[in-house]
Amino acid sequence: MEKQILLPTSVKREILTTFGVGRDKLRDALTYKVNTPRAKMLRAAAFQRGGVVYTGETAPAGFTPKVKTSTNGEIVTQLLGERVVLYINKRLNKVRLFINNEDIFAEENVTIQRWGDVLYSLKHLYEKLNA
């Protein structure tokens, strides 16, 4: 997953309705694929509604995240404080991110390297949320 503004699904729906845009236009704005005046306005609206930036950075060699990890065999749960939770389904190779108990994103076909990159970016997100 590349740099993007993360929002709960309910907030995305509200922005779609309020601004009368399609899902593709909103996605392109939130993922910085376009930089039109409308895209900038949609990003500003996302930030006003609590959106946070996921940086999409690559973890440096040797990076070890400081997270609380538990597993029930198939599902690995990683907590970054109380507000950021990552669920990894090992059987389906799928990751889901929750912030403040709201489903923010899901990604499939996650490799070990990609998992580390996600955790590295979430570390920065966690620090911003708790500053």
Side-chain angles (χ1 to χ4, degrees):
M1 186 168 77
E2 302 298 319
K3 177 182 175 182
Q4 65 181 276
I5 300 171
L6 300 176
L7 289 167
T9 303
S10 60
V11 176
K12 287 181 187 174
R13 276 190 296 250
E14 185 266 324
I15 290 175
L16 292 171
T17 302
T18 300
F19 295 98
V21 297
R23 292 178 191 267
D24 292 342
K25 294 286 185 190
L26 180 59
R27 183 192 65 241
D28 289 349
L30 296 180
T31 58
Y32 294 85
K33 290 183 180 174
V34 294
N35 202 29
T36 63
R38 186 173 195 156
K40 291 176 183 177
M41 180 268 305
L42 290 170
R43 287 192 289 269
F47 285 126
Q48 288 174 344
R49 289 161 175 77
V52 292
V53 174
Y54 174 87
T55 61
E57 297 174 89
T58 300
F63 169 73
T64 304
K66 293 182 181 177
V67 297
K68 293 179 184 176
T69 302
S70 61
T71 184
N72 70 2
E74 183 175 307
I75 305 293
V76 175
T77 303
Q78 295 191 304
L79 304 171
L80 287 86
E82 296 178 16
R83 299 174 66 186
V84 181
V85 181
L86 193 65
Y87 294 101
I88 302 96
N89 184 313
K90 296 188 298 184
R91 184 178 56 81
L92 299 177
N93 203 25
K94 185 174 183 178
V95 172
R96 294 194 76 81
L97 170 66
F98 288 78
I99 298 176
N100 296 328
N101 294 318
E102 295 204 52
D103 192 355
I104 302 297
F105 82 81
E107 187 171 334
E108 295 183 11
N109 301 318
V110 178
T111 64
I112 295 294
Q113 176 62 48
R114 185 73 189 114
W115 183 6
D117 292 346
V118 169
L119 285 172
Y120 185 70
S121 289
L122 289 178
K123 177 181 81 94
H124 295 299
L125 176 63
Y126 169 78
E127 290 166 355
K128 288 178 189 174
L129 287 171
N130 291 288

